[in-house]
Amino acid sequence: PLVTSKELFTKAYANKYAVGAFNVNNMEIIQGIVSAAKTENAPLILQVSAGARKYASPIYLRKLVEAAVEDSNLPIVLHLDHGESFDICKQCIDDGFTSVMIDASHHSFEENISITKKVVEYAHSKGVVVEAELGRLAGVEDDVQVSEKDAIYTNPEQAAEFVQKTGVDSLAIAIGTSHGAYKFKGEPNLDFERLQEIAKLLPNFPLVLHGASTVLPEFLELCNQYGGDIPGAQGVPEEMIRKATQFGVCKVNIDTDLRLAMTAAVRKELFADPKNFDPRKYLAPARTAIEEMVRHKIVNVLGSDNRI
Ligand SMILES: O=C(COP(=O)(O)O)N(O)CCCCO
Ligand code: NA
Ligand SMILES: [Zn+2]
C-alpha cells in the first residue's frame, strides 16, 4: 500500500537501518527499483523531484507509482523531493503524495521555520508527513572552505530548536555531502561528530542524508569506456553511509548511483549492437542495472532487507 514514512522511520530508528529513497523519472526506473525492493522485502521511498514532474508530468508519475503499489504490494512512500515552496508541497499533498520535503534551507533560519511550519500544518491536516532541511549541502553549489563549514553545515542546537518550533517529521542535515557525482575535491569525509551531536539533541528523531551516492568506480569506468566523459567523479564511501545509519539517519537519498548504473548499461548495449534500433534492447538492460544497483544498496548499505 501507499504509506507515510512515519512507521517506516520508527522501525528503522529502533533497528538502526535506513530506508532507501530513490528518485524516479520513468517506467523502467520505477520497475527496477520496485523489483529490487520486492526481491529483498524492503520498505521503499519513491521520490519525485520538480525536474521529474516536468520531465514525465505529474499524472504519469502518479499512475506509475499506483501501478507499482498494486503490482508489488510493498509499503511504498510517494515523496516530493526538494519541494521549493508551500504551493508545490500543497499541490503534491492534494495529488496523493504521502510525504513531502519543503527545502527552505537557503532562506534565513527564521524564514525556514515559518515556511516549514506552514507546510507541516497543511500536511498534518491531511495525514501527510514532512521533511525539511537545515544547513547547506556542500560541494557542487558551494565551494566549501573549512572555515565556512559552520556557516553551512547543520548546527546541532539550531536543529533541535528547528524541530521543536516546526513539528517537522524528519530533518535533512548537512554534514559534508552534496548532490551529484563530484562530491569531494580531496579525501571524502563526513562530519560524524556533528551528526552524533545532532542525534544526541534529537533522540528518536529521524534524520535524512541527501547526496548519499557513492559514485561506484565500476560504473564510472563503464560509462567512460563506452563513450562517456565523467572524469574525477567521487562520492561518499559506502561504509560512511552505513556508519551514518547507526546515528539516527533513517532515510538515505540515492539518485546519482542509479543514473550512472543506467547510463553505463545503455552505453554498453548501444556499443555492443550497432545494428539495433529497438529501444527495448537497451532499456531492458538499463532497468536490470537499476534493479541490481538498488538490491546492492538495500543489502550492503542501508540494511533495509527483510524489514517488512
Ligand atoms: O540527495 C539527492 C541525491 O543525491 P545523489 O546525487 O548523491 O544521489 N537527491 O535529493 C536527489 C536529487 C538531487 C539530484 O541528484
Ligand atoms: Na527529500
Ligand atoms: Zn537532495
Side-chain angles (χ1 to χ4, degrees), residues 114-306:
S114 103
I115 296 170
T116 301
K117 212 163 144 32
K118 197 170 161 222
V119 174
V120 167
E121 273 155 16
Y122 187 76
H124 285 185
S125 76
K126 306 282 183 185
V128 171
V129 293
V130 182
E131 172 190 329
E133 180 170 330
L134 189 63
R136 307 271 160 83
L137 289 181
V140 274
E141 59 261 355
D142 313 296
D143 189 355
V144 186
Q145 307 304 325
V146 175
S147 56
E148 287 164 31
K149 213 172 88 167
D150 278 339
I152 292 177
Y153 288 7
T154 305
N155 172 292
E157 290 72 23
Q158 273 198 349
E161 182 186 350
F162 183 89
V163 168
Q164 194 266 323
K165 286 185 171 171
T166 59
V168 76
D169 301 284
S170 65
L171 185 68
I173 58 172
I175 55 170
T177 62
S178 62
H179 290 142
Y182 300 89
K183 297 183 194 296
F184 302 97
K185 290 193 175 62
E187 277 309 298
N189 71 323
L190 299 185
D191 190 340
F192 286 106
E193 295 70 40
R194 188 178 295 268
L195 172 60
Q196 292 175 47
E197 256 308 292
I198 295 167
K200 203 166 71 187
L201 296 176
L202 283 168
N204 301 309
F205 182 82
L207 302 175
V208 181
L209 202 56
H210 283 239
S213 281
T214 296
V215 184
L216 291 156
E218 168 193 352
F219 297 93
L220 204 51
E221 279 145 32
L222 259 180
C223 282
N224 292 335
Q225 197 180 326
Y226 293 106
D229 181 14
I230 314 167
Q234 69 171 331
V236 186
E238 292 186 327
E239 78 266 6
M240 288 189 185
I241 306 299
R242 280 194 294 273
K243 183 174 174 185
T245 64
Q246 304 307 298
F247 299 107
V249 169
C250 297
K251 175 174 180 274
V252 171
N253 283 18
I254 298 169
D255 187 19
T256 294
D257 279 338
L258 273 57
R259 294 181 179 192
L260 288 169
M262 187 168 195
T263 303
V266 172
R267 284 189 172 281
K268 183 164 182 269
E269 185 51 44
L270 287 174
F271 254 70
D273 188 351
K275 293 188 176 16
N276 172 62
F277 56 90
D278 175 350
R280 291 170 299 180
K281 193 138 188 306
Y282 47 80
L283 290 177
R287 177 171 51 199
T288 305
I290 291 274
E291 180 177 357
E292 286 168 1
M293 176 59 74
V294 172
R295 287 189 62 187
H296 164 76
K297 293 293 181 184
I298 287 170
V299 174
N300 300 83
V301 181
L302 304 165
S304 57
D305 47 317
N306 300 316

